[in-house]
Amino acid sequence: MSTNAMYPVMSMSKWRRRWNTFWKNLILCTLLAVIALTVLFPILFTLSGSFMGGEEVVRNFGDITISDAFTPMHLLPDHIQLDGYADLFIRQPSYLMRFWISLGICAAITVGQLVISILGGYAFSKFKFPGRDAIFYCIIVLMLLPYQVTLTPTYMVVRALGLLNTSYSLILPGIFSAFGVFLMRQIMEAVPDSLLESAYLDGAGSFVTLWRILVPNCKSGIVTLTVLSFVDAWNMVEQPIVFIQDTFKQPLSVFLLSVNAQSMALGFACGVLSMIPAVLLLVFFEDQLMEGISYSVLK
């Protein structure tokens, strides 16, 4: 038997196809790597700056101004120091208190959005009442509007209720989410009505059916709404600036600007601290988040 018969020679067309596939994959991976580094660069830069000493931060970034001159980027610390974290956790604990204030506000907003969105999605998906579709279309329109459009009416309502300069001025308007109702309605519609009918035949009421049937079957959507609601509340800026004048009551998202003006080393540490809740939510609930988003879009 000849050698060619034992080891068939690959044709030139197959080599060409494999070569083209290799270059396509290489270009695609390079492009994705560049995009990933571009997105992650601010995070890595903040994390690196948090381990610089106060003098090093001032020396490298203290003279940064808006000008046409090129400012070199100091990416890696000369010596790893914890001055910013020492100020954050020990010397000036007031900044850490603002972190807990922000966490409490965001937790209250998230819980309120979950309750109202689940009840609203249940009503729009499983009940028939006059004007249901018209009301739902209004919710979609409200969801498409930028928040700045409704900021003035919200301010007038909050002022009339006497809630300005309090955490309730952020919590009460924040628990009403058009997107949350839309998301839960889309996901609950996919739950077969036969499951609910079986529960009704067994004597379960509407709230028991919601808690025992719909909520377990919509777990991924609820987790998705929880993560998105918390991150949206955690990053809010316009509402605290307009509704709260007392700087001590403002959340960390607003206070970061004044921190950078006082001490850039402390600002880097506060920036890392502000990223922790969102990163933890993404790490622990990544699968449910992607499942809920893709399922709602496909629906």
Side-chain angles (χ1 to χ4, degrees), residues 71-91:
T71 302
M73 299 297 293
H74 186 70
L75 300 180
L76 298 177
D78 297 334
H79 303 284
I80 295 179
Q81 301 184 41
L82 302 177
D83 291 351
Y85 293 103
D87 290 339
L88 177 62
F89 292 104
I90 300 175
R91 301 191 189 104

Side-chain angles (χ1 to χ4, degrees), residues 29-102:
C29 291
T30 303
L31 180 61
L32 293 177
V34 171
I35 295 175
L37 289 176
T38 303
V39 174
L40 293 176
F41 177 77
I43 299 176
L44 298 177
F45 179 72
T46 303
L47 184 62
S48 175
S50 67
F51 291 104
M52 297 181 186
E55 296 181 358
E56 183 179 357
V57 172
V58 173
R59 183 175 67 252
N60 292 281
F61 307 113
D63 295 331
I64 293 180
T65 57
I66 301 175
S67 63
D68 296 332
F70 174 75
T71 302
M73 299 297 293
H74 186 70
L75 300 180
L76 298 177
D78 297 334
H79 303 284
I80 295 179
Q81 301 184 41
L82 302 177
D83 291 351
Y85 293 103
D87 290 339
L88 177 62
F89 292 104
I90 300 175
R91 301 191 189 104
Q92 303 183 41
S94 59
Y95 301 109
L96 188 60
M97 289 298 298
R98 288 175 174 83
F99 172 82
W100 294 113
I101 291 174
S102 302

Side-chain angles (χ1 to χ4, degrees), residues 13 21 25 40 43 60 64 79 83 90 105 140 150 157 182 191 193 203 206 209 228 236 273 291:
S13 61
T21 303
N25 292 335
L40 293 176
I43 299 176
N60 292 281
I64 293 180
H79 303 284
D83 291 351
I90 300 175
I105 292 174
I140 295 178
T150 59
V157 173
F182 170 80
V191 179
D193 293 337
S206 298
T209 303
L228 296 180
M236 61 181 174
L273 181 67
E291 181 182 355

Side-chain angles (χ1 to χ4, degrees), residues 49-220:
S50 67
F51 291 104
M52 297 181 186
E55 296 181 358
E56 183 179 357
V57 172
V58 173
R59 183 175 67 252
N60 292 281
F61 307 113
D63 295 331
I64 293 180
T65 57
I66 301 175
S67 63
D68 296 332
F70 174 75
T71 302
M73 299 297 293
H74 186 70
L75 300 180
L76 298 177
D78 297 334
H79 303 284
I80 295 179
Q81 301 184 41
L82 302 177
D83 291 351
Y85 293 103
D87 290 339
L88 177 62
F89 292 104
I90 300 175
R91 301 191 189 104
Q92 303 183 41
S94 59
Y95 301 109
L96 188 60
M97 289 298 298
R98 288 175 174 83
F99 172 82
W100 294 113
I101 291 174
S102 302
L103 197 63
I105 292 174
C106 295
I109 292 175
T110 302
V111 172
Q113 281 196 20
L114 284 176
V115 173
I116 293 178
S117 298
I118 290 175
L119 294 176
Y122 183 35
F124 283 110
S125 62
K126 300 303 179 183
F127 291 93
K128 294 182 179 180
F129 52 87
R132 183 188 68 171
D133 295 338
I135 297 174
F136 186 71
Y137 290 147
C138 292
I139 291 177
I140 295 178
V141 173
L142 183 62
M143 181 181 66
L144 298 177
L145 292 176
Y147 185 82
Q148 291 77 6
V149 174
T150 59
L151 187 60
T152 300
T154 304
Y155 176 83
M156 296 174 65
V157 173
V158 170
R159 184 180 62 179
L161 295 175
L163 299 177
L164 289 178
N165 209 34
T166 65
S167 299
Y168 296 105
S169 63
L170 304 178
I171 295 174
L172 293 181
I175 63 177
F176 298 97
S177 171
F179 172 76
V181 175
F182 170 80
L183 178 64
M184 295 311 303
R185 185 255 189 185
Q186 295 297 101
I187 294 178
M188 287 184 177
E189 270 197 341
V191 179
D193 293 337
S194 58
L195 294 178
L196 278 68
E197 294 173 357
S198 300
Y200 291 146
L201 292 176
D202 291 338
S206 298
F207 285 99
V208 174
T209 303
L210 172 64
W211 181 252
R212 296 291 182 88
I213 305 297
L214 281 177
V215 170
N217 284 278
C218 300
K219 182 179 178 180
S220 60

